[in-house]
Amino acid sequence: MRIIGTGSALPDKIVTNDMLAGFLDTSDSWIRTRTGIETRRMLSTGTLRDLAYDAAMSALESANIRGSKIDYVICSNVANSYVSPSLSSILLNRLGCKCPCFDLNGACAGFIYALDIAESFLKTGRAKNILIICAEEPTRFCNWHERETSVLFGDGAGAVVVTTGNNLMGIRVTADTHTDVLYYKRSMERTPYDRVEERTTPLVMIGREVFRLAVSASIKDIDTLMKQCKVTSEDIDLFLLHQANLRIIENIREHLGQPKEKFPTNMQHYGNTSSASIPILLDELHKEGRLNDGATLMLSAFGGGFVTGAALIKWSQI
Ligand code: ACO
């Protein structure tokens, strides 16, 4: 696999910590020191579909390829207002794609899961060009009266186009059942026969437990992948980690003993955008010219499930 195009899109509305402190019992200093987040972008008048479309079009342009040349569209999304059809189906015609598509829910690790699936489609010859779109609006999962969760998230979309190549050095995905620490539950329509009443429960998160699981799982993924690929942390140029919390990234960085410059971040501006966070960061670095030809990138993410994923990629100039 080789990444040949990147794109991203963010809502225009910027929400500062002080704006949240206007209606929640919180403060700019609490949010900054505990998470690193200063502002987040939130959908206000636009839709997630438009954001996903903009990110995808930007990735297609960056890859210099038309939608009609895409053989598969994979969309990573935890939840949006449509349960069916999938977000990828909704976008397909508008993108000019005439190929199969599906959505996957790998929570915040969805981008790594999508890369894993894309790699197998490319290896088997099932597809040559694949468009991966990660589009998320986690701000819509939260109870906005609860300061514990609502301050953490932001909306956004990131996308990449991948084709055949030898740039994926290694990939690892894991899953485990820990539904109690991080979940968002939606009620479905009632039938005349169901006797179990289920209510929608906005995002529940046991922050400290998620923090602990996130740090230990990411360290295990990164260490395992480095061993498998016979590289050390010194050989890795940039670590693109899920942008959930600066302190989680700091813990991982300290374990790896690498300098801060190797850990680019953008959660300061966007908050946690779930599976979109790594492709948004990748696109920013690419467009800023910060990805050198031949650079080795370690991608690593964790999310509700509990799921995790890491990928080691050799960057080729697009
Ligand atoms: N503003 C002010 N005070 C707050 C806020 C807030 N927004 N939120 C919680 N507090 C209070 C708590 O009520 C608690 O008060 P108490 O001591 O009187 O009980 C105090 O702050 C400390 O709370 P802790 O939970 O101990 O704070 P902690 O240092 O653990 O930080 C945080 C909380 C930021 C949520 C941290 O645990 C964390 O980042 N966890 C991981 C979150 C994460 O990564 N989630 C996403 C994972 S997957 C995905 O991306 C969907």
Side-chain angles (χ1 to χ4, degrees), residues 112-173:
I112 315 286
Y113 268 76
L115 289 177
D116 191 37
I117 294 165
E119 168 73 352
S120 36
F121 282 176
L122 295 171
K123 263 190 177 156
T124 56
R126 182 73 188 77
K128 182 160 173 19
N129 300 309
I130 301 174
L131 173 62
I132 298 173
I133 311 165
C134 301
E136 305 278 14
E137 48 184 342
T139 63
R140 303 293 297 270
F141 309 165
C142 300
N143 177 345
W144 280 86
H145 301 291
E146 278 181 15
R147 62 182 184 175
E148 287 80 6
T149 48
S150 52
V151 304
L152 303 174
F153 296 96
D155 305 324
V160 297
V161 178
V162 297
T163 191
T164 45
N166 293 318
N167 293 39
L168 184 67
M169 299 164 70
I171 192 158
R172 169 186 155 90
V173 288

Short mmCIF file of all heavy atoms in Angstrom, two decimals, residues 112-173:
data_model
loop_
_atom_site.label_atom_id
_atom_site.label_comp_id
_atom_site.label_asym_id
_atom_site.label_seq_id
_atom_site.Cartn_x
_atom_site.Cartn_y
_atom_site.Cartn_z
N ILE A 112 -6.98 3.21 11.23
CA ILE A 112 -6.01 2.10 11.15
C ILE A 112 -6.73 0.83 10.68
O ILE A 112 -6.19 0.08 9.85
CB ILE A 112 -5.32 1.84 12.52
CG1 ILE A 112 -4.87 3.15 13.20
CG2 ILE A 112 -4.17 0.85 12.37
CD1 ILE A 112 -3.68 3.83 12.65
N TYR A 113 -7.95 0.61 11.19
CA TYR A 113 -8.73 -0.54 10.71
C TYR A 113 -8.97 -0.44 9.20
O TYR A 113 -8.87 -1.42 8.48
CB TYR A 113 -10.07 -0.63 11.47
CG TYR A 113 -10.02 -1.50 12.69
CD1 TYR A 113 -9.41 -1.06 13.87
CD2 TYR A 113 -10.54 -2.79 12.67
CE1 TYR A 113 -9.34 -1.87 14.99
CE2 TYR A 113 -10.48 -3.61 13.79
CZ TYR A 113 -9.88 -3.15 14.95
OH TYR A 113 -9.80 -3.97 16.05
N ALA A 114 -9.30 0.77 8.73
CA ALA A 114 -9.55 0.96 7.29
C ALA A 114 -8.28 0.69 6.48
O ALA A 114 -8.34 0.07 5.42
CB ALA A 114 -10.07 2.37 7.05
N LEU A 115 -7.13 1.13 6.99
CA LEU A 115 -5.86 0.86 6.29
C LEU A 115 -5.61 -0.64 6.21
O LEU A 115 -5.14 -1.16 5.20
CB LEU A 115 -4.69 1.53 7.02
CG LEU A 115 -4.59 3.06 6.98
CD1 LEU A 115 -3.40 3.54 7.83
CD2 LEU A 115 -4.45 3.59 5.56
N ASP A 116 -5.93 -1.35 7.30
CA ASP A 116 -5.71 -2.80 7.36
C ASP A 116 -6.56 -3.51 6.29
O ASP A 116 -6.07 -4.38 5.56
CB ASP A 116 -6.08 -3.29 8.77
CG ASP A 116 -5.63 -4.72 9.02
OD1 ASP A 116 -4.54 -5.08 8.53
OD2 ASP A 116 -6.37 -5.47 9.67
N ILE A 117 -7.83 -3.09 6.18
CA ILE A 117 -8.73 -3.70 5.19
C ILE A 117 -8.27 -3.33 3.78
O ILE A 117 -8.22 -4.17 2.88
CB ILE A 117 -10.18 -3.25 5.43
CG1 ILE A 117 -10.69 -3.81 6.76
CG2 ILE A 117 -11.10 -3.69 4.30
CD1 ILE A 117 -11.95 -3.16 7.27
N ALA A 118 -7.91 -2.05 3.60
CA ALA A 118 -7.46 -1.59 2.28
C ALA A 118 -6.25 -2.40 1.82
O ALA A 118 -6.16 -2.83 0.67
CB ALA A 118 -7.11 -0.10 2.34
N GLU A 119 -5.32 -2.64 2.75
CA GLU A 119 -4.12 -3.42 2.43
C GLU A 119 -4.50 -4.81 1.90
O GLU A 119 -3.94 -5.28 0.91
CB GLU A 119 -3.23 -3.51 3.68
CG GLU A 119 -2.09 -4.51 3.61
CD GLU A 119 -0.93 -4.09 2.72
OE1 GLU A 119 -1.06 -3.07 2.01
OE2 GLU A 119 0.09 -4.80 2.71
N SER A 120 -5.49 -5.45 2.54
CA SER A 120 -5.83 -6.79 2.06
C SER A 120 -6.55 -6.74 0.71
O SER A 120 -6.35 -7.62 -0.12
CB SER A 120 -6.63 -7.59 3.09
OG SER A 120 -7.49 -6.79 3.79
N PHE A 121 -7.36 -5.72 0.47
CA PHE A 121 -8.00 -5.57 -0.85
C PHE A 121 -6.93 -5.37 -1.93
O PHE A 121 -7.04 -5.89 -3.04
CB PHE A 121 -8.95 -4.37 -0.87
CG PHE A 121 -10.29 -4.61 -0.20
CD1 PHE A 121 -11.20 -3.58 -0.08
CD2 PHE A 121 -10.64 -5.86 0.29
CE1 PHE A 121 -12.43 -3.79 0.52
CE2 PHE A 121 -11.86 -6.07 0.90
CZ PHE A 121 -12.77 -5.03 1.02
N LEU A 122 -5.91 -4.58 -1.61
CA LEU A 122 -4.85 -4.31 -2.59
C LEU A 122 -4.03 -5.58 -2.84
O LEU A 122 -3.71 -5.91 -3.98
CB LEU A 122 -3.93 -3.18 -2.10
CG LEU A 122 -4.58 -1.80 -1.95
CD1 LEU A 122 -3.63 -0.82 -1.26
CD2 LEU A 122 -5.01 -1.24 -3.30
N LYS A 123 -3.73 -6.28 -1.76
CA LYS A 123 -2.90 -7.50 -1.87
C LYS A 123 -3.58 -8.57 -2.71
O LYS A 123 -2.93 -9.28 -3.47
CB LYS A 123 -2.65 -8.07 -0.47
CG LYS A 123 -1.31 -7.66 0.12
CD LYS A 123 -1.04 -8.46 1.38
CE LYS A 123 0.30 -8.13 1.96
NZ LYS A 123 0.35 -8.43 3.39
N THR A 124 -4.91 -8.71 -2.55
CA THR A 124 -5.62 -9.76 -3.28
C THR A 124 -5.99 -9.31 -4.69
O THR A 124 -6.59 -10.08 -5.44
CB THR A 124 -6.92 -10.17 -2.55
OG1 THR A 124 -7.71 -8.99 -2.36
CG2 THR A 124 -6.65 -10.82 -1.21
N GLY A 125 -5.71 -8.06 -5.01
CA GLY A 125 -6.04 -7.55 -6.34
C GLY A 125 -7.51 -7.17 -6.45
O GLY A 125 -8.02 -6.89 -7.54
N ARG A 126 -8.21 -7.14 -5.33
CA ARG A 126 -9.64 -6.80 -5.31
C ARG A 126 -9.85 -5.33 -5.72
O ARG A 126 -10.89 -4.98 -6.23
CB ARG A 126 -10.17 -7.06 -3.89
CG ARG A 126 -11.63 -6.82 -3.68
CD ARG A 126 -12.44 -7.92 -4.34
NE ARG A 126 -13.87 -7.62 -4.32
CZ ARG A 126 -14.45 -6.74 -5.12
NH1 ARG A 126 -13.76 -6.08 -6.02
NH2 ARG A 126 -15.75 -6.52 -5.05
N ALA A 127 -8.85 -4.51 -5.47
CA ALA A 127 -8.94 -3.08 -5.81
C ALA A 127 -7.54 -2.54 -6.05
O ALA A 127 -6.55 -3.10 -5.56
CB ALA A 127 -9.59 -2.32 -4.65
N LYS A 128 -7.47 -1.45 -6.83
CA LYS A 128 -6.17 -0.80 -7.06
C LYS A 128 -6.11 0.57 -6.38
O LYS A 128 -5.10 0.93 -5.80
CB LYS A 128 -5.92 -0.67 -8.57
CG LYS A 128 -4.57 -0.06 -8.88
CD LYS A 128 -4.10 -0.35 -10.27
CE LYS A 128 -2.84 0.38 -10.67
NZ LYS A 128 -2.02 0.93 -9.62
N ASN A 129 -7.22 1.30 -6.47
CA ASN A 129 -7.28 2.63 -5.82
C ASN A 129 -8.42 2.64 -4.82
O ASN A 129 -9.57 2.36 -5.18
CB ASN A 129 -7.53 3.72 -6.86
CG ASN A 129 -6.43 3.76 -7.90
OD1 ASN A 129 -5.25 3.80 -7.56
ND2 ASN A 129 -6.81 3.71 -9.16
N ILE A 130 -8.11 2.97 -3.58
CA ILE A 130 -9.13 2.96 -2.52
C ILE A 130 -9.18 4.33 -1.85
O ILE A 130 -8.14 4.91 -1.51
CB ILE A 130 -8.83 1.86 -1.48
CG1 ILE A 130 -8.80 0.49 -2.18
CG2 ILE A 130 -9.85 1.87 -0.35
CD1 ILE A 130 -8.37 -0.66 -1.29
N LEU A 131 -10.41 4.82 -1.69
CA LEU A 131 -10.62 6.09 -0.98
C LEU A 131 -11.08 5.78 0.44
O LEU A 131 -12.09 5.08 0.63
CB LEU A 131 -11.68 6.92 -1.72
CG LEU A 131 -12.16 8.21 -1.05
CD1 LEU A 131 -11.02 9.22 -0.88
CD2 LEU A 131 -13.30 8.84 -1.86
N ILE A 132 -10.32 6.26 1.42
CA ILE A 132 -10.69 6.08 2.83
C ILE A 132 -11.11 7.44 3.37
O ILE A 132 -10.34 8.41 3.29
CB ILE A 132 -9.51 5.52 3.66
CG1 ILE A 132 -9.09 4.14 3.15
CG2 ILE A 132 -9.87 5.47 5.15
CD1 ILE A 132 -7.81 3.60 3.81
N ILE A 133 -12.32 7.51 3.90
CA ILE A 133 -12.81 8.76 4.49
C ILE A 133 -13.12 8.50 5.96
O ILE A 133 -13.80 7.53 6.29
CB ILE A 133 -14.12 9.22 3.80
CG1 ILE A 133 -13.99 9.22 2.27
CG2 ILE A 133 -14.53 10.61 4.30
CD1 ILE A 133 -15.34 9.32 1.55
N CYS A 134 -12.60 9.34 6.84
CA CYS A 134 -12.94 9.25 8.26
C CYS A 134 -13.70 10.52 8.61
O CYS A 134 -13.13 11.61 8.53
CB CYS A 134 -11.68 9.15 9.12
SG CYS A 134 -10.65 7.73 8.70
N ALA A 135 -14.96 10.38 8.94
CA ALA A 135 -15.80 11.57 9.20
C ALA A 135 -16.55 11.37 10.50
O ALA A 135 -17.27 10.38 10.66
CB ALA A 135 -16.77 11.79 8.04
N GLU A 136 -16.38 12.32 11.41
CA GLU A 136 -16.92 12.09 12.76
C GLU A 136 -17.51 13.37 13.36
O GLU A 136 -16.97 14.45 13.18
CB GLU A 136 -15.80 11.61 13.69
CG GLU A 136 -15.06 10.37 13.21
CD GLU A 136 -15.77 9.05 13.53
OE1 GLU A 136 -16.97 9.08 13.88
OE2 GLU A 136 -15.12 8.00 13.41
N GLU A 137 -18.61 13.19 14.07
CA GLU A 137 -19.18 14.31 14.84
C GLU A 137 -19.43 13.84 16.28
O GLU A 137 -20.58 13.76 16.73
CB GLU A 137 -20.45 14.88 14.19
CG GLU A 137 -21.48 13.87 13.76
CD GLU A 137 -22.67 14.51 13.03
OE1 GLU A 137 -22.89 15.72 13.15
OE2 GLU A 137 -23.38 13.77 12.36
N PRO A 138 -18.36 13.55 17.03
CA PRO A 138 -18.53 13.04 18.39
C PRO A 138 -19.18 14.04 19.34
O PRO A 138 -19.68 13.65 20.39
CB PRO A 138 -17.10 12.71 18.83
CG PRO A 138 -16.21 13.49 17.94
CD PRO A 138 -16.93 13.62 16.64
N THR A 139 -19.21 15.33 18.94
CA THR A 139 -19.87 16.32 19.82
C THR A 139 -21.36 16.01 19.94
O THR A 139 -22.01 16.46 20.87
CB THR A 139 -19.69 17.76 19.28
OG1 THR A 139 -20.32 17.86 18.01
CG2 THR A 139 -18.22 18.13 19.16
N ARG A 140 -21.89 15.21 18.97
CA ARG A 140 -23.31 14.87 19.02
C ARG A 140 -23.59 13.63 19.87
O ARG A 140 -24.73 13.20 19.98
CB ARG A 140 -23.85 14.63 17.59
CG ARG A 140 -23.67 15.80 16.67
CD ARG A 140 -24.51 17.00 17.08
NE ARG A 140 -25.93 16.74 17.04
CZ ARG A 140 -26.71 16.96 15.97
NH1 ARG A 140 -26.20 17.44 14.88
NH2 ARG A 140 -28.00 16.71 16.02
N PHE A 141 -22.53 13.02 20.45
CA PHE A 141 -22.76 11.85 21.34
C PHE A 141 -22.88 12.30 22.79
O PHE A 141 -23.24 11.51 23.66
CB PHE A 141 -21.59 10.85 21.32
CG PHE A 141 -21.11 10.39 19.97
CD1 PHE A 141 -19.88 9.74 19.86
CD2 PHE A 141 -21.86 10.57 18.84
CE1 PHE A 141 -19.42 9.31 18.64
CE2 PHE A 141 -21.41 10.14 17.61
CZ PHE A 141 -20.19 9.52 17.51
N CYS A 142 -22.44 13.54 23.06
CA CYS A 142 -22.26 13.95 24.46
C CYS A 142 -23.51 14.56 25.06
O CYS A 142 -24.34 15.12 24.36
CB CYS A 142 -21.15 15.01 24.54
SG CYS A 142 -19.58 14.43 23.94
N ASN A 143 -23.59 14.47 26.38
CA ASN A 143 -24.57 15.22 27.14
C ASN A 143 -23.93 16.59 27.42
O ASN A 143 -22.94 16.66 28.15
CB ASN A 143 -24.89 14.49 28.45
CG ASN A 143 -25.84 15.25 29.31
OD1 ASN A 143 -26.08 16.44 29.10
ND2 ASN A 143 -26.39 14.58 30.30
N TRP A 144 -24.50 17.64 26.87
CA TRP A 144 -23.87 18.96 26.98
C TRP A 144 -24.11 19.64 28.33
O TRP A 144 -23.77 20.80 28.51
CB TRP A 144 -24.26 19.83 25.78
CG TRP A 144 -23.38 19.43 24.64
CD1 TRP A 144 -23.60 18.41 23.75
CD2 TRP A 144 -22.10 19.96 24.33
NE1 TRP A 144 -22.52 18.27 22.90
CE2 TRP A 144 -21.60 19.23 23.23
CE3 TRP A 144 -21.32 20.97 24.86
CZ2 TRP A 144 -20.35 19.49 22.67
CZ3 TRP A 144 -20.07 21.24 24.29
CH2 TRP A 144 -19.60 20.50 23.21
N HIS A 145 -24.69 18.88 29.26
CA HIS A 145 -24.76 19.37 30.65
C HIS A 145 -23.63 18.75 31.46
O HIS A 145 -23.47 19.06 32.63
CB HIS A 145 -26.11 19.02 31.29
CG HIS A 145 -27.27 19.60 30.54
ND1 HIS A 145 -27.53 20.95 30.52
CD2 HIS A 145 -28.20 19.03 29.75
CE1 HIS A 145 -28.58 21.18 29.76
NE2 HIS A 145 -29.01 20.03 29.28
N GLU A 146 -22.89 17.81 30.85
CA GLU A 146 -21.83 17.10 31.58
C GLU A 146 -20.45 17.60 31.16
O GLU A 146 -20.04 17.42 30.00
CB GLU A 146 -21.93 15.59 31.30
CG GLU A 146 -22.97 14.91 32.16
CD GLU A 146 -23.04 13.41 31.89
OE1 GLU A 146 -22.11 12.87 31.25
OE2 GLU A 146 -24.03 12.82 32.31
N ARG A 147 -19.74 18.16 32.10
CA ARG A 147 -18.42 18.73 31.78
C ARG A 147 -17.37 17.65 31.53
O ARG A 147 -16.36 17.89 30.89
CB ARG A 147 -17.96 19.64 32.92
CG ARG A 147 -17.79 18.91 34.25
CD ARG A 147 -17.39 19.84 35.37
NE ARG A 147 -17.15 19.09 36.61
CZ ARG A 147 -16.70 19.64 37.71
NH1 ARG A 147 -16.46 20.93 37.75
NH2 ARG A 147 -16.50 18.90 38.79
N GLU A 148 -17.59 16.44 32.07
CA GLU A 148 -16.58 15.37 31.99
C GLU A 148 -16.28 14.94 30.55
O GLU A 148 -15.16 14.54 30.24
CB GLU A 148 -17.00 14.14 32.79
CG GLU A 148 -16.92 14.29 34.30
CD GLU A 148 -18.12 15.05 34.89
OE1 GLU A 148 -19.06 15.37 34.13
OE2 GLU A 148 -18.09 15.33 36.10
N THR A 149 -17.31 14.97 29.69
CA THR A 149 -17.11 14.47 28.33
C THR A 149 -17.18 15.57 27.26
O THR A 149 -16.39 15.57 26.33
CB THR A 149 -18.17 13.40 27.97
OG1 THR A 149 -19.46 13.91 28.35
CG2 THR A 149 -17.90 12.09 28.67
N SER A 150 -18.12 16.50 27.41
CA SER A 150 -18.41 17.42 26.31
C SER A 150 -17.23 18.33 25.95
O SER A 150 -17.12 18.75 24.80
CB SER A 150 -19.65 18.25 26.62
OG SER A 150 -19.52 18.86 27.88
N VAL A 151 -16.34 18.60 26.91
CA VAL A 151 -15.22 19.51 26.62
C VAL A 151 -14.13 18.85 25.75
O VAL A 151 -13.23 19.53 25.27
CB VAL A 151 -14.57 20.05 27.92
CG1 VAL A 151 -15.60 20.73 28.80
CG2 VAL A 151 -13.85 18.96 28.70
N LEU A 152 -14.21 17.52 25.60
CA LEU A 152 -13.09 16.79 25.00
C LEU A 152 -13.13 16.70 23.47
O LEU A 152 -12.10 16.45 22.85
CB LEU A 152 -13.05 15.35 25.55
CG LEU A 152 -12.95 15.19 27.07
CD1 LEU A 152 -13.07 13.72 27.45
CD2 LEU A 152 -11.65 15.77 27.59
N PHE A 153 -14.32 16.86 22.89
CA PHE A 153 -14.46 16.45 21.49
C PHE A 153 -14.63 17.60 20.50
O PHE A 153 -14.99 18.72 20.88
CB PHE A 153 -15.65 15.49 21.36
CG PHE A 153 -15.43 14.21 22.12
CD1 PHE A 153 -15.92 14.05 23.39
CD2 PHE A 153 -14.67 13.19 21.57
CE1 PHE A 153 -15.70 12.89 24.12
CE2 PHE A 153 -14.43 12.02 22.29
CZ PHE A 153 -14.94 11.86 23.56
N GLY A 154 -14.39 17.29 19.23
CA GLY A 154 -14.60 18.23 18.14
C GLY A 154 -15.01 17.44 16.90
O GLY A 154 -14.82 16.22 16.84
N ASP A 155 -15.58 18.12 15.91
CA ASP A 155 -16.02 17.46 14.68
C ASP A 155 -14.98 17.67 13.58
O ASP A 155 -14.31 18.71 13.55
CB ASP A 155 -17.37 18.04 14.23
CG ASP A 155 -18.42 17.96 15.33
OD1 ASP A 155 -18.40 16.96 16.08
OD2 ASP A 155 -19.25 18.89 15.44
N GLY A 156 -14.90 16.73 12.66
CA GLY A 156 -13.95 16.90 11.55
C GLY A 156 -13.92 15.68 10.64
O GLY A 156 -14.50 14.63 10.96
N ALA A 157 -13.25 15.85 9.50
CA ALA A 157 -13.12 14.73 8.55
C ALA A 157 -11.72 14.75 7.93
O ALA A 157 -11.16 15.82 7.68
CB ALA A 157 -14.18 14.86 7.46
N GLY A 158 -11.18 13.54 7.74
CA GLY A 158 -9.89 13.40 7.07
C GLY A 158 -10.02 12.27 6.05
O GLY A 158 -10.86 11.38 6.23
N ALA A 159 -9.23 12.33 4.99
CA ALA A 159 -9.34 11.29 3.96
C ALA A 159 -7.98 11.02 3.33
O ALA A 159 -7.10 11.90 3.35
CB ALA A 159 -10.33 11.74 2.89
N VAL A 160 -7.82 9.81 2.82
CA VAL A 160 -6.62 9.49 2.04
C VAL A 160 -7.03 8.63 0.83
O VAL A 160 -8.07 7.96 0.87
CB VAL A 160 -5.54 8.69 2.85
CG1 VAL A 160 -4.99 9.49 4.01
CG2 VAL A 160 -6.06 7.34 3.32
N VAL A 161 -6.20 8.68 -0.21
CA VAL A 161 -6.33 7.73 -1.31
C VAL A 161 -5.12 6.83 -1.24
O VAL A 161 -3.99 7.31 -1.09
CB VAL A 161 -6.37 8.45 -2.68
CG1 VAL A 161 -6.46 7.43 -3.82
CG2 VAL A 161 -7.54 9.42 -2.76
N VAL A 162 -5.35 5.51 -1.29
CA VAL A 162 -4.22 4.57 -1.28
C VAL A 162 -4.25 3.72 -2.55
O VAL A 162 -5.30 3.48 -3.13
CB VAL A 162 -4.25 3.65 -0.03
CG1 VAL A 162 -4.08 4.45 1.25
CG2 VAL A 162 -5.49 2.79 0.04
N THR A 163 -3.05 3.31 -2.95
CA THR A 163 -2.93 2.44 -4.12
C THR A 163 -1.87 1.38 -3.81
O THR A 163 -1.33 1.34 -2.70
CB THR A 163 -2.58 3.28 -5.38
OG1 THR A 163 -2.72 2.45 -6.52
CG2 THR A 163 -1.16 3.83 -5.33
N THR A 164 -1.57 0.54 -4.79
CA THR A 164 -0.59 -0.51 -4.55
C THR A 164 0.82 0.08 -4.39
O THR A 164 1.15 1.09 -5.01
CB THR A 164 -0.57 -1.53 -5.71
OG1 THR A 164 -0.57 -0.79 -6.93
CG2 THR A 164 -1.76 -2.44 -5.67
N GLY A 165 1.61 -0.53 -3.56
CA GLY A 165 2.97 -0.05 -3.30
C GLY A 165 3.56 -0.81 -2.13
O GLY A 165 2.91 -1.71 -1.58
N ASN A 166 4.76 -0.41 -1.77
CA ASN A 166 5.46 -1.16 -0.71
C ASN A 166 5.73 -0.29 0.51
O ASN A 166 6.75 -0.46 1.18
CB ASN A 166 6.80 -1.69 -1.24
CG ASN A 166 6.58 -2.74 -2.29
OD1 ASN A 166 5.70 -3.59 -2.14
ND2 ASN A 166 7.32 -2.65 -3.38
N ASN A 167 4.83 0.64 0.80
CA ASN A 167 5.13 1.60 1.87
C ASN A 167 4.56 1.24 3.24
O ASN A 167 4.88 1.90 4.22
CB ASN A 167 4.66 2.99 1.47
CG ASN A 167 5.46 3.55 0.32
OD1 ASN A 167 5.80 2.80 -0.58
ND2 ASN A 167 5.78 4.80 0.36
N LEU A 168 3.70 0.22 3.28
CA LEU A 168 3.18 -0.19 4.59
C LEU A 168 4.15 -1.22 5.16
O LEU A 168 4.20 -2.36 4.72
CB LEU A 168 1.77 -0.78 4.46
CG LEU A 168 1.11 -1.15 5.79
CD1 LEU A 168 0.81 0.07 6.63
CD2 LEU A 168 -0.17 -1.95 5.55
N MET A 169 4.94 -0.78 6.15
CA MET A 169 5.97 -1.67 6.70
C MET A 169 5.36 -2.69 7.66
O MET A 169 5.86 -3.80 7.81
CB MET A 169 7.02 -0.83 7.43
CG MET A 169 7.73 0.15 6.52
SD MET A 169 8.62 1.43 7.44
CE MET A 169 9.95 0.50 8.18
N GLY A 170 4.29 -2.30 8.33
CA GLY A 170 3.63 -3.22 9.26
C GLY A 170 2.35 -2.61 9.79
O GLY A 170 2.20 -1.38 9.81
N ILE A 171 1.42 -3.47 10.21
CA ILE A 171 0.16 -2.97 10.76
C ILE A 171 -0.35 -3.96 11.80
O ILE A 171 -0.10 -5.17 11.69
CB ILE A 171 -0.88 -2.72 9.63
CG1 ILE A 171 -2.08 -1.91 10.16
CG2 ILE A 171 -1.33 -3.99 8.95
CD1 ILE A 171 -2.86 -1.17 9.08
N ARG A 172 -1.02 -3.43 12.83
CA ARG A 172 -1.51 -4.29 13.90
C ARG A 172 -2.82 -3.69 14.41
O ARG A 172 -2.91 -2.49 14.66
CB ARG A 172 -0.46 -4.30 15.02
CG ARG A 172 -0.88 -4.94 16.31
CD ARG A 172 0.23 -4.71 17.35
NE ARG A 172 -0.30 -4.75 18.70
CZ ARG A 172 -0.39 -5.84 19.44
NH1 ARG A 172 0.04 -6.99 18.99
NH2 ARG A 172 -0.92 -5.77 20.65
N VAL A 173 -3.86 -4.53 14.50
CA VAL A 173 -5.11 -4.06 15.11
C VAL A 173 -5.51 -5.04 16.20
O VAL A 173 -5.23 -6.24 16.11
CB VAL A 173 -6.26 -3.93 14.07
CG1 VAL A 173 -6.05 -2.75 13.14
CG2 VAL A 173 -6.46 -5.20 13.27
#
